[in-house]
Amino acid sequence: MIPDLPFLNSKTLNLIQAPVALGQTLEGVDEAPSILIQNGLLEQISSLGWSIGQVSEVDPHDLKWNSPVGNLPAHQQGQKIKFPNELGDACREIAGLARDSAKEKSFTLTLGGDHSIVIGSIGGALLERPDLGVIWVDAHGDFNTPETSPSGNIHGMPLSFLTGLMQRYQIKSFDWLKNFLTRDQLVLVGIRSIDPEERSLMKSWGVNVFSMTEVDRYGIGGVMERAFEILFKNGKRPIHLSYDIDSVDPHFAPSTGTRVRGGLNYREAHYIAESVSETGALVGMDLVEINPRLGYVDPAHRGDTNVTVEIGLELVGSALGKRIY
Ligand SMILES: [Mn+2]
C-alpha cells in the first residue's frame, strides 16, 4: 500500500489497448490507442512517476463489419442489438486483463475504441473489487437496452450491462459478467442527450445524474463534491473514471462520433480528472470515443484530430496526478 493511494500496491500502471469500433458505426475510433501512444502517452505516464507494467492489446482481428447483425436467441428476434457476440468476446478478453490488474492492485488504463469496451474494463474490475465506484463522464446516458435503443449500437448500452439490467436478455457472450453496479456505486456527469425511453429506464432505476444543468447550477466543483458524497457515503472506496471524450464540448474535442453541443469546457473537463485524482482512490480509467479519422479524412480538419488527441492525453495526465501548482 502507498499512503496517498490506499487502494494500490504500487504506482504501476497496466495499459489495455482496445481498438474496438463495432459498438457504433464510424470507422476510425479503433485507431485512437495507437495514435495516443505515438503522441507520447507512455512518456507522459512515466514522467508523472508511474512505472508501466503490462501493455496489452485486444486482438482486433475478428472485429470487422462483415458479420450479420447479432446471433440472438429466438426470443430476442426483432429486438435491436448489433454485434453482441463479437463485442462480448472482446469485452471478455478485456475483463480478464482488467481483473488481473485489479488483483495485483495496480492502476488500469484502458484505451478505446468506442464506449462498449468498458463493459470489459469495469466488468472485469468488478470481479475483483465488487465495491468499485464509477464516475461516468459522458454526453449521453449510455443506459439503453435493445428495447429502448433507437440504433442497436452497444456503445449506447454499456451501463445497462454493468448495472445488470441486461441480464434478462440472457446474452450468452456476456455471461461472464457477475458483479453489477448498485445505485450508490455510480454517478454520471456531463450528460445532455438521453433517448426518450432511455430516460424512463434511468429514472426507474434511480441513477445519480449530474447533467450539464447541474454543472451550470452548482459549478463543476459543486457537482464533484456531491458526486463524492454519494460514492464515499460509507467511507472511501476504489474509484474508476470512465471518460467518454464526447462529454467535452465539441469546440475542445471535435474528433468524436456523436458530438453534442453544450458540453464541458476545457477547465471543467480537467477539473473532473484532477478532483478524482486528489481523492487518492482512483484505481482505473477509460478514455474512449476519440475518433482520429473524423479529423484527418478532410485535410481542412486535421487540426480537429490534433486538439482531440491532445486533450485526451492531458486528461489522462490530470487523472494520474498532474497539477497546475
Ligand atoms: Mn459514452
Side-chain angles (χ1 to χ4, degrees):
M1 299 282 167
I2 326 175
D4 298 346
L5 304 169
F7 302 107
L8 297 177
N9 268 343
S10 67
K11 275 188 88 170
T12 301
L13 179 146
N14 295 317
L15 178 68
I16 304 173
Q17 300 171 75
V20 173
L22 285 180
Q24 44 88 67
T25 51
L26 296 171
E27 289 186 67
V29 73
D30 48 314
E31 294 165 10
S34 58
I35 288 183
L36 288 162
I37 290 170
Q38 280 163 32
N39 280 274
L41 176 74
L42 297 178
E43 293 80 357
Q44 178 187 230
I45 291 168
S46 304
S47 77
L48 291 167
W50 294 82
S51 55
I52 311 281
Q54 200 190 356
V55 176
S56 39
E57 180 171 17
V58 178
D59 185 359
H61 182 72
D62 298 325
L63 301 175
K64 301 272 183 268
W65 277 270
N66 56 10
S67 35
V69 173
N71 292 315
L72 294 169
H75 71 275
Q76 288 176 274
Q77 300 291 334
Q79 293 169 343
K80 284 182 297 180
I81 184 165
K82 294 176 186 160
F83 305 111
N85 297 337
E86 293 81 354
L87 290 169
D89 289 348
C91 286
R92 184 193 291 113
E93 193 180 336
I94 296 165
L97 296 163
R99 181 187 202 168
D100 290 346
S101 179
K103 203 173 270 179
E104 63 180 48
K105 293 195 161 53
S106 296
F107 193 97
T108 312
L109 176 62
T110 308
L111 303 176
D114 67 62
H115 217 162
S116 67
I117 61 148
V118 314
I119 305 169
S121 64
I122 297 174
L126 280 170
L127 294 173
E128 192 60 33
R129 299 183 187 269
D131 63 333
L132 188 72
V134 172
I135 298 180
W136 191 278
V137 189
D138 211 300
H140 307 89
D142 287 2
F143 238 90
N144 272 306
T145 66
E147 275 166 286
T148 68
S149 170
S151 67
N153 294 326
I154 291 188
H155 84 151
M157 309 182 187
L159 282 173
S160 64
F161 281 95
L162 291 167
T163 54
L165 288 169
M166 209 59 112
Q167 285 302 91
R168 69 190 188 88
Y169 298 90
Q170 298 180 326
I171 301 171
K172 214 177 166 324
S173 52
F174 286 95
D175 63 1
W176 49 270
L177 281 167
K178 298 286 180 227
N179 296 330
F180 301 99
L181 297 170
T182 57
R183 280 162 203 78
D184 63 349
Q185 269 175 286
L186 174 65
V187 166
L188 274 56
V189 179
I191 314 304
R192 55 196 181 276
S193 173
I194 303 173
D195 298 312
E197 290 178 60
E198 179 186 31
R199 178 180 290 112
S200 320
L201 186 61
M202 290 169 74
K203 295 223 173 188
S204 65
W205 193 80
V207 60
N208 293 296
V209 177
F210 295 97
S211 73
M212 287 310 296
T213 305
E214 282 71 44
V215 174
D216 293 335
R217 182 172 297 139
Y218 305 123
I220 195 66
V223 163
M224 294 312 290
E225 206 173 297
R226 286 164 170 82
F228 296 133
E229 266 168 31
I230 293 166
L231 294 170
F232 296 146
K233 199 173 94 190
N234 299 314
K236 280 264 169 90
R237 61 159 97 221
I239 295 292
H240 182 105
L241 177 63
S242 201
Y243 218 119
D244 188 326
I245 204 70
D246 73 21
S247 61
V248 182
D249 191 273
H251 181 75
F252 302 100
S255 275
T256 188
T258 47
R259 283 182 288 257
V260 189
R261 294 205 291 178
L264 300 166
N265 69 28
Y266 183 84
R267 274 302 308 158
E268 289 164 346
H270 272 285
Y271 184 85
I272 293 170
E274 289 167 356
S275 62
V276 178
S277 167
E278 277 169 4
T279 66
L282 190 64
V283 297
M285 176 179 185
D286 314 307
L287 178 63
V288 300
E289 300 284 354
I290 292 176
N291 188 333
R293 191 80 72 88
L294 296 180
Y296 64 69
V297 164
D298 178 355
H301 290 157
R302 189 175 292 271
D304 287 359
T305 298
N306 295 346
V307 297
T308 310
V309 169
E310 192 177 326
I311 196 171
L313 288 169
E314 290 173 346
L315 290 172
V316 173
S318 288
L320 293 177
K322 189 166 185 223
R323 295 288 176 275
I324 293 173
Y325 182 64

